[in-house]
Amino acid sequence: MWWPDICPSLRKIHLKYSARLAGRKTVMFRCNTHQGWTSGRRCQRVQKRAATVPPEQYFAAIDRDQSRIARRARTHASLLKKWAGNIGNFLEINPRSGALYHYVTSASKWAADVNEACAPHLDHLGVKRTTRMSLPQGTYDVVMVSHLLQEMPIDQVPGFLDKCRDLLTPDGLLLVEVPEWGSLHNRVPPKHGGYEPHTNFFSPQALVGFLEKAGLKIHYLQTRDKMFPVSPDGNADFEQCTDRNAK
């Protein structure tokens, strides 16, 4: 079985072996760097505060909302509009709010393993709620996994990605977002003001290795600061990346 090397002192995952691409299913990967030392706590407060707002009021003002959740939802929706086109069945696993469903146009919207705090918002939008165990395979045109991989034990990540792959239609798209390795707050010890709510951090190379091992073809790859060119056959070029912030 393929495993990455894990550095115990840094908890950074290093890609050890290359993996062969397989199948037509594709994956988009986006890293989102947390800002500041206490961003984990701040994000939790934002989610809790959003959940206390009545759905009608929350969605009426969401286009003006500049919270991280709302801005992230708009970014994800823009990526899906560009790369996924018309979406028949859309699924998000463990959604933290209903923001993305507000922006994604889909014939059928599903949510698995829902945080009960956001359940009223999903119900307001007509999202079908279910559990991960009861999801039918080969059904979803898009599966969204946002800020979930970093919270599970590392030995569970391969099996989880295998299940995500099996949920996709033959031309389905998996959108994965995780905190980026190198975020400021994960390098500052808690006693000096740092806060670390996560179990894992992935370098782009390491996460690509996990995804390719699951039989997924890389379609799009970016971090907060860099864009990585991806060839038509799904090979990401980590040497020829471009600065996303360059003018």
Side-chain angles (χ1 to χ4, degrees), residues 17-247:
Y17 303 111
S18 61
R20 181 176 299 175
L21 296 174
R24 298 169 60 196
K25 298 175 182 179
T26 57
V27 60
M28 301 164 65
F29 163 49
R30 179 174 182 268
C31 282
N32 181 51
T33 303
H34 286 303
Q35 298 294 309
W37 294 350
T38 59
S39 60
R41 288 174 182 154
R42 185 163 60 247
C43 186
Q44 292 172 3
R45 289 198 299 269
V46 169
Q47 292 173 357
K48 184 176 181 180
R49 185 165 63 247
T52 62
V53 179
E56 297 83 357
Q57 181 180 345
Y58 178 73
F59 291 114
I62 195 170
D63 290 336
R64 303 186 301 275
D65 188 351
Q66 293 303 311
S67 69
R68 179 176 299 165
I69 290 177
R71 288 186 284 112
R72 185 184 296 163
R74 289 191 285 269
T75 298
H76 291 162
S78 177
L79 289 172
L80 292 175
K81 183 177 180 180
K82 178 178 180 180
W83 295 105
N86 295 326
I87 302 173
N89 291 316
F90 173 81
L91 167 70
E92 183 172 7
I93 298 176
N94 193 221
R96 311 300 173 88
S97 75
L100 181 57
Y101 294 95
H102 173 77
Y103 290 106
V104 169
T105 301
S106 172
S108 183
K109 300 176 182 180
W110 294 79
D113 298 345
V114 173
N115 182 330
E116 289 302 317
C118 74
H121 295 69
L122 301 180
D123 294 341
H124 175 75
L125 296 174
V127 178
K128 304 177 181 67
R129 292 190 280 142
T130 184
T131 62
R132 199 186 317 168
M133 297 298 295
S134 60
L135 292 171
Q137 295 186 4
T139 300
Y140 302 97
D141 300 294
V142 173
V143 173
M144 176 73 196
V145 178
S146 178
H147 287 255
L148 184 58
L149 297 185
Q150 75 273 10
E151 298 177 357
M152 62 178 60
I154 193 66
D155 59 349
Q156 294 182 15
V157 171
F160 175 79
L161 292 175
D162 286 345
K163 292 179 180 178
C164 290
R165 175 204 62 212
D166 293 341
L167 294 173
L168 295 170
T169 59
D171 293 316
L173 188 72
L174 173 65
L175 177 57
V176 177
E177 183 180 54
V178 295
E180 186 175 357
W181 171 259
S183 304
L184 177 61
H185 76 279
N186 69 49
R187 291 178 283 152
V188 181
K191 65 180 180 180
H192 296 303
Y195 171 68
E196 185 43 68
H198 303 134
T199 303
N200 313 305
F201 281 90
F202 299 87
S203 66
Q205 294 90 336
L207 188 52
V208 165
F210 275 106
L211 295 167
E212 289 180 343
K213 187 61 180 178
L216 293 159
K217 177 181 176 182
I218 306 303
H219 195 59
Y220 174 87
L221 177 64
Q222 76 171 63
T223 65
R224 182 175 181 268
D225 299 317
K226 295 180 175 63
M227 287 284 296
F228 297 88
V230 179
S231 65
D233 59 356
N235 291 315
D237 189 336
F238 297 104
E239 301 297 329
Q240 302 299 320
C241 58
T242 58
D243 187 350
R244 295 185 60 237
N245 300 318
K247 294 183 180 180

